[in-house]
Short mmCIF file of all heavy atoms in Angstrom, two decimals:
data_model
loop_
_atom_site.label_atom_id
_atom_site.label_comp_id
_atom_site.label_asym_id
_atom_site.label_seq_id
_atom_site.Cartn_x
_atom_site.Cartn_y
_atom_site.Cartn_z
N MET A 171 21.34 10.47 39.79
CA MET A 171 20.96 11.73 39.08
C MET A 171 19.48 11.63 38.78
O MET A 171 18.88 10.59 38.38
CB MET A 171 21.78 11.81 37.82
CG MET A 171 22.24 13.15 37.53
SD MET A 171 23.17 13.31 35.98
CE MET A 171 24.86 12.86 36.55
N ILE A 177 16.35 19.85 35.36
CA ILE A 177 15.43 20.82 34.81
C ILE A 177 15.45 22.03 35.75
O ILE A 177 15.54 23.23 35.30
CB ILE A 177 13.90 20.29 34.88
CG1 ILE A 177 13.81 19.08 33.82
CG2 ILE A 177 12.95 21.29 34.46
CD1 ILE A 177 12.48 18.30 33.93
N ILE A 195 20.49 12.77 27.73
CA ILE A 195 20.30 12.33 26.41
C ILE A 195 20.20 10.81 26.28
O ILE A 195 19.34 10.33 25.52
CB ILE A 195 21.41 12.99 25.47
CG1 ILE A 195 21.35 14.46 25.47
CG2 ILE A 195 21.42 12.21 24.17
CD1 ILE A 195 20.07 14.94 24.81
N MET A 220 22.41 27.94 26.42
CA MET A 220 23.47 26.98 26.80
C MET A 220 24.68 27.62 26.45
O MET A 220 24.75 28.35 25.41
CB MET A 220 23.28 25.68 26.06
CG MET A 220 22.37 24.69 26.67
SD MET A 220 22.47 23.10 25.74
CE MET A 220 22.03 22.02 26.93
N GLY A 243 37.10 3.43 5.19
CA GLY A 243 37.36 2.65 4.03
C GLY A 243 37.43 3.52 2.75
O GLY A 243 37.72 3.16 1.70
N GLY A 255 18.79 25.23 4.33
CA GLY A 255 17.57 25.06 3.45
C GLY A 255 16.97 26.38 3.09
O GLY A 255 17.00 27.38 3.73
N GLU A 295 15.25 11.65 -7.10
CA GLU A 295 14.42 10.48 -7.51
C GLU A 295 13.73 10.89 -8.78
O GLU A 295 12.96 10.17 -9.34
CB GLU A 295 13.51 10.10 -6.44
CG GLU A 295 14.18 9.17 -5.40
CD GLU A 295 13.34 8.76 -4.20
OE1 GLU A 295 12.33 9.28 -4.02
OE2 GLU A 295 13.92 8.10 -3.37
N PHE A 309 27.88 2.54 -0.29
CA PHE A 309 28.03 3.83 -0.16
C PHE A 309 29.63 4.16 -0.23
O PHE A 309 30.15 5.06 -1.11
CB PHE A 309 27.53 4.42 1.09
CG PHE A 309 27.62 5.84 1.47
CD1 PHE A 309 27.09 6.85 0.73
CD2 PHE A 309 28.37 6.29 2.64
CE1 PHE A 309 27.14 8.21 1.07
CE2 PHE A 309 28.54 7.52 2.95
CZ PHE A 309 27.90 8.51 2.24
N SER A 353 21.66 20.25 16.84
CA SER A 353 20.92 19.24 16.08
C SER A 353 21.59 18.95 14.75
O SER A 353 21.67 17.85 14.44
CB SER A 353 19.42 19.84 15.93
OG SER A 353 18.86 19.11 14.95
N ILE A 354 21.88 20.05 14.11
CA ILE A 354 22.53 19.94 12.71
C ILE A 354 23.91 19.17 12.93
O ILE A 354 24.16 18.19 12.14
CB ILE A 354 22.70 21.26 11.98
CG1 ILE A 354 21.20 21.81 11.65
CG2 ILE A 354 23.49 21.18 10.82
CD1 ILE A 354 21.23 23.21 11.13
N GLY A 375 13.28 33.92 3.45
CA GLY A 375 12.97 32.45 3.17
C GLY A 375 13.74 31.56 4.06
O GLY A 375 13.80 30.26 3.76
N GLY A 418 10.82 23.52 -7.51
CA GLY A 418 10.09 22.22 -7.79
C GLY A 418 11.16 21.27 -8.16
O GLY A 418 12.24 21.49 -8.80
N GLU A 425 17.60 22.61 -13.86
CA GLU A 425 18.43 23.75 -13.63
C GLU A 425 19.89 23.45 -13.18
O GLU A 425 20.90 24.06 -13.53
CB GLU A 425 17.83 24.70 -12.55
CG GLU A 425 18.61 26.04 -12.43
CD GLU A 425 17.69 27.16 -11.87
OE1 GLU A 425 17.72 27.14 -10.54
OE2 GLU A 425 17.00 27.87 -12.53
N GLY A 446 32.14 25.31 -3.56
CA GLY A 446 32.97 24.32 -4.16
C GLY A 446 34.46 24.61 -4.09
O GLY A 446 35.25 23.80 -3.64
N ALA A 485 25.54 4.93 -10.99
CA ALA A 485 26.05 4.05 -9.91
C ALA A 485 24.99 3.79 -8.89
O ALA A 485 25.00 2.88 -8.16
CB ALA A 485 27.25 4.73 -9.23
N GLN A 486 23.94 4.79 -8.77
CA GLN A 486 22.92 4.55 -7.79
C GLN A 486 21.58 4.10 -8.48
O GLN A 486 20.47 4.31 -7.92
CB GLN A 486 22.70 5.75 -6.92
CG GLN A 486 24.02 6.02 -6.14
CD GLN A 486 23.83 6.90 -4.93
OE1 GLN A 486 24.82 7.54 -4.53
NE2 GLN A 486 22.69 7.02 -4.30
N PRO A 500 10.55 13.85 -15.43
CA PRO A 500 9.11 14.11 -15.27
C PRO A 500 8.77 15.52 -15.69
O PRO A 500 9.41 16.46 -15.30
CB PRO A 500 8.88 13.94 -13.72
CG PRO A 500 10.10 13.10 -13.36
CD PRO A 500 11.16 13.44 -14.22
N GLU A 517 10.47 44.78 -6.90
CA GLU A 517 11.09 45.29 -5.67
C GLU A 517 11.35 44.21 -4.54
O GLU A 517 12.24 44.18 -3.72
CB GLU A 517 10.23 46.40 -4.99
CG GLU A 517 10.36 47.63 -5.83
CD GLU A 517 9.60 48.83 -5.25
OE1 GLU A 517 8.84 48.60 -4.21
OE2 GLU A 517 9.72 49.96 -5.70
N LEU A 529 4.14 24.29 -3.28
CA LEU A 529 3.49 23.32 -2.33
C LEU A 529 2.05 23.06 -2.82
O LEU A 529 1.61 21.91 -2.94
CB LEU A 529 3.59 23.81 -0.88
CG LEU A 529 3.09 22.80 0.22
CD1 LEU A 529 3.92 21.64 0.31
CD2 LEU A 529 2.97 23.58 1.42
N LEU A 564 6.30 37.06 -15.84
CA LEU A 564 6.90 37.08 -14.56
C LEU A 564 7.48 35.75 -14.27
O LEU A 564 8.54 35.48 -13.69
CB LEU A 564 5.97 37.53 -13.38
CG LEU A 564 5.51 38.86 -13.45
CD1 LEU A 564 4.42 39.04 -12.36
CD2 LEU A 564 6.67 39.89 -13.14
N ARG A 572 -5.75 21.85 -12.92
CA ARG A 572 -6.09 23.21 -13.25
C ARG A 572 -6.54 24.02 -12.05
O ARG A 572 -6.22 25.28 -11.99
CB ARG A 572 -7.31 23.17 -14.18
CG ARG A 572 -6.88 22.78 -15.57
CD ARG A 572 -7.01 23.90 -16.60
NE ARG A 572 -6.51 23.49 -17.84
CZ ARG A 572 -5.62 24.15 -18.43
NH1 ARG A 572 -4.91 25.19 -17.96
NH2 ARG A 572 -5.18 23.70 -19.73
N TYR A 586 4.93 38.77 -5.99
CA TYR A 586 5.72 39.72 -6.74
C TYR A 586 5.30 41.07 -6.33
O TYR A 586 4.15 41.45 -6.44
CB TYR A 586 5.59 39.51 -8.18
CG TYR A 586 6.36 38.61 -8.90
CD1 TYR A 586 5.87 37.20 -9.13
CD2 TYR A 586 7.68 38.89 -9.22
CE1 TYR A 586 6.82 36.35 -9.78
CE2 TYR A 586 8.56 38.02 -10.00
CZ TYR A 586 8.04 36.72 -10.22
OH TYR A 586 8.84 35.89 -10.82
#
Side-chain angles (χ1 to χ4, degrees):
M171 218 178 275
I177 297 168
I195 295 300
M220 276 186 155
E295 284 176 355
F309 180 65
S353 165
I354 293 174
E425 188 163 86
Q486 296 199 206
E517 289 183 350
L529 186 66
L564 293 172
R572 286 250 176 240
Y586 272 99

